[in-house]
Amino acid sequence: DIEGKEECKKDLCSAMGIPYTKGTPVLGMIARLTDQKGFDLLAEIIDKILESEAQLVILGEGDKQYVDLFTRLQKKHPKQIGIYFGFHDSFAHKIEAGSDIFLMPSAYEPCGLNQMYSMHYGTIPVVRKTGGLADTVIDAEEATQRTHPTGFTFEKYEARAFWKAIERALRTYRKDKPSWRQMQITGMKKDFSWDRSAVEYAQLYEKVIAHSKTDPSMAGGKHQ
C-alpha cells in the first residue's frame, strides 16, 4: 500500500538513529560490504551523496576496510548516515519498505533479490545493468510504450556512472513527483513469481514444439 510509504520512512529513520525530514531522500543498501557488491564505487562517491543532502542507511557486514570507513563516516555525519553491521531481519524489512531509493551497484549479480523486494515496496532501485539486475529493472530513459520504467541503471562499472544514475534518481524524486509516483506504482505491480515464469516457459516450449513440426531439420529426434 503506497499510502503507508511515509510512515515506513519515519519508522526506518527512527530505527537507524537518523532524523526524519519530509522531502529528504533516504538511500538504502543491504549487502555484504565487499567490492563485488559495489562498495568500492560507493566509497568513491559518498562525499557527493552527503553533499546532495540525502541520507544513507546500510545493513550488512564484510571487509574491514569498509566497516572502518563507514564507522568513521557515521560518527562524522550522524544525521545523514545510519548503519547496522551484521544481519537483522527486521532492519532489512524496514530498509526495503522505508527507503526512497535502493542502491545495488554490483560488479556482477546472477539474479539479485533486493531490487525486486524494493520495487514491491515502492522503493526505486538504482542498479548496475548486469545479470538479473538488467533483466528486472527498466531504466527511466530506456522505457517504451510497452515497457514502463521501474528504476535507474548504469552500465560501466565506475563511480562516475554510478553517481550519474543516483543523480538522475534524486532529480526525479525532487522535481518530478508524478513520474516518481508512476514509477513506484509500476514497480509494485511487477510480478516476478514462478506463476508468471512458468507460463512463459510453457509458451517457449510450445513455440519450439510447433517449430519442430514445420522444420524438417528438427524432425526424427534431431532437436538441438
Side-chain angles (χ1 to χ4, degrees):
D1 180 2
I2 193 65
E3 298 308 320
K5 184 71 175 174
E6 205 66 17
E7 290 303 312
C8 290
K9 184 173 178 177
K10 292 177 183 178
D11 181 58
L12 169 63
C13 289
S14 175
M16 299 299 284
I18 58 176
Y20 163 80
T21 304
K22 185 175 178 60
T24 295
V26 174
L27 283 56
M29 195 167 180
I30 304 170
R32 296 190 313 277
L33 277 64
T34 64
D35 287 350
Q36 188 255 314
K37 293 298 183 179
F39 275 91
D40 52 337
L41 301 187
L42 181 62
E44 284 192 55
I45 65 167
I46 189 64
D47 288 342
K48 292 183 180 295
I49 291 175
L50 294 170
E51 289 168 5
S52 75
E53 298 184 352
Q55 293 171 304
L56 175 68
V57 293
I58 298 174
L59 171 65
E61 58 186 353
D63 295 351
K64 185 177 183 299
Q65 61 171 323
Y66 296 124
V67 171
D68 292 345
L69 170 64
F70 288 104
T71 296
R72 291 196 304 271
L73 288 169
Q74 183 183 33
K75 290 179 178 178
K76 187 176 180 181
H77 305 278
K79 293 184 178 181
Q80 283 184 272
I81 298 179
I83 300 179
Y84 183 94
F85 294 117
F87 179 75
H88 193 298
D89 189 57
S90 178
F91 281 1
H93 283 80
K94 290 177 186 293
I95 290 174
E96 295 288 5
S99 299
D100 296 298
I101 297 167
F102 191 86
L103 306 180
M104 213 164 169
S106 305
Y108 57 89
E109 199 70 58
C111 178
L113 296 172
N114 285 310
Q115 81 280 12
M116 292 186 278
Y117 297 156
S118 297
M119 285 187 273
H120 189 67
Y121 285 101
T123 298
I124 305 301
V126 173
V127 306
R128 179 162 176 264
K129 196 172 182 180
T130 181
L133 301 178
D135 293 336
T136 53
V137 180
I138 301 173
D139 188 273
E141 294 183 353
E142 297 178 356
T144 65
Q145 290 184 339
R146 296 181 62 185
T147 58
H148 300 294
T150 56
F152 299 86
T153 67
F154 66 101
E155 196 156 356
K156 289 186 178 180
Y157 190 76
E158 59 182 28
R160 184 173 180 274
F162 183 28
W163 170 244
K164 289 294 183 184
I166 294 176
E167 203 172 32
R168 287 195 290 130
L170 291 174
R171 184 166 57 248
T172 304
Y173 172 82
R174 286 170 166 153
K175 298 183 178 181
D176 192 350
K177 291 297 184 183
S179 294
W180 188 265
R181 178 52 62 92
Q182 185 57 57
M183 204 178 298
Q184 288 178 303
I185 299 300
T186 300
M188 292 177 78
K189 290 181 178 179
K190 282 288 184 178
D191 181 6
F192 295 110
S193 70
W194 274 107
D195 291 340
R196 179 186 61 80
S197 298
V199 170
E200 291 183 358
Y201 271 115
Q203 292 172 343
L204 175 62
Y205 295 148
E206 288 171 359
K207 287 182 180 179
V208 173
I209 292 171
H211 183 64
S212 69
K213 291 179 178 179
T214 59
D215 187 346
S217 68
M218 297 184 69
K222 296 181 180 179
H223 298 351
Q224 298 296 317

